[in-house]
Amino acid sequence: MSMLSRRQFVQGGSLVAAAGLLAGCGSASSGTGSSGPAADGEYTLVSEGKLTCISNLYFPPFEFMDDKTGEPRGFDIDMSKSLAEHLGLEVNWLPSQAFDSLVPTIKAGGTADVAIAGMTITDARKAEVDMSDPYIDSNQSLVTKVGSEDTMDTLDDASKKIAVQAGTTGADWAKENFPKAEIVPLDDIISAMNGVVTGSYAALVTDLPVSSYQIKNSFSSLQIIEEIPTGEQYGIAVSKDNPGLTKAINAALAEMEEDGSLDAIETEWFGAAL
Ligand code: ARG
C-alpha cells in the first residue's frame, strides 16, 4: 500500500505539499463488472465500466452544482474524473444527498461505489466503511459576519446560535468547544453562510478551505475569526465488502500524485501547483 504525500491547506489560496511519494504499490487493478464475488486484486462495481459516486454537492470548491450547466463541479469532481480514468472507468455522479447519509449509503451497498465528499478520515467512519489513503489535508474555521465583535469566548453562550453542517467534523468540533451555545445542524454549509449574513446565526464552523474559498468568491461580508488546526485528511469512502476497490483507488491516487494529475487539479481550484 502506498502513502500519498501530505497536503496542507493554507488560508489565502495556496496549498503546500510536503515531501514526495513512498514507492511500493503495483498498478491499478481492473474491474470485474457488477457480478460475482471479488477475487484478490479485483473489485465489483454497481454499474459495469463506471465509477458511481455520491456526495453532498454543497461544499465549494470541493463539490457544488454549476448553476449554468446543472452539473456537479469542483476539486473532488475533477479528481473523480481523473481517478476513474486511471482505473479505466467512466465517472458517474448521482444526485446530491445529505452528508450524513453518505457513509450509511456506502455501507448498505448497491447504490454507489464510492463517496467523494471532502470527507475527513475518522475512526468512527472507518468502523463503518473503508477509507482510501488521504488525498488532501484540511482544518476547521470559525466564521462570523464582518463587523461582528464575537470571539471564541463570547460565542460560548446560551444566547448564541452557531450553524454547522449535520454529521460533519465541524459539527463535532463546535459541540465540544461551545458547550453552552446552541449548535444548529443544517443540511448544507451554504445555508449556514447565508444565515450568518442575515443574522440568524452568530457564527458557523466549517472546513477552512471551504470558508476561505467562499469568502473570496461569494461571501465578502463574512470573515474567518479562528483557523482551527484539527489536522484532518480527506479520503474516499468504499464499502468494506469491496476491499479490492480501495486497493485500486489507492494505487490510482499514487499514480495521480506521480504523473502530475493531482497537481493540475489543485492548480485549477486553489491557484497553486504543489
Ligand atoms: N470534512 C468534513 C467532514 O468530513 C466536512 C465534509 C462536508 N462535505 C460535503 N460534501 N458537504 O465531516
Side-chain angles (χ1 to χ4, degrees), residues 196-210:
V196 173
V197 171
T198 59
S200 303
Y201 314 112
L204 68 91
V205 177
T206 193
D207 297 31
L208 178 60
V210 174

Side-chain angles (χ1 to χ4, degrees), residues 188-258:
D188 72 82
I189 211 65
I190 314 287
S191 314
M193 290 177 178
N194 284 320
V196 173
V197 171
T198 59
S200 303
Y201 314 112
L204 68 91
V205 177
T206 193
D207 297 31
L208 178 60
V210 174
S211 54
S212 290
Y213 181 89
Q214 287 291 85
I215 288 170
K216 198 166 156 223
N217 292 290
S218 326
F219 283 90
S220 56
S221 61
L222 295 180
Q223 60 182 354
I224 293 167
I225 59 164
E226 258 338 294
E227 295 187 13
I228 305 150
T230 47
E232 294 172 50
Q233 295 186 302
Y234 296 167
I236 298 166
V238 185
S239 164
K240 284 187 185 293
D241 293 336
N242 207 2
L245 183 57
T246 309
K247 216 176 145 201
I249 286 173
N250 286 340
L253 286 173
E255 283 178 13
M256 288 159 66
E257 185 87 37
E258 242 163 63

Side-chain angles (χ1 to χ4, degrees), residues 55-56 58-59 63 99 117-120 125 165 167-169 207 232 234:
S55 194
N56 170 262
Y58 297 91
F59 202 59
E63 44 265 335
F99 182 77
M119 188 182 284
T120 303
R125 290 175 185 153
Q165 184 175 28
T168 60
T169 49
D207 297 31
E232 294 172 50
Y234 296 167

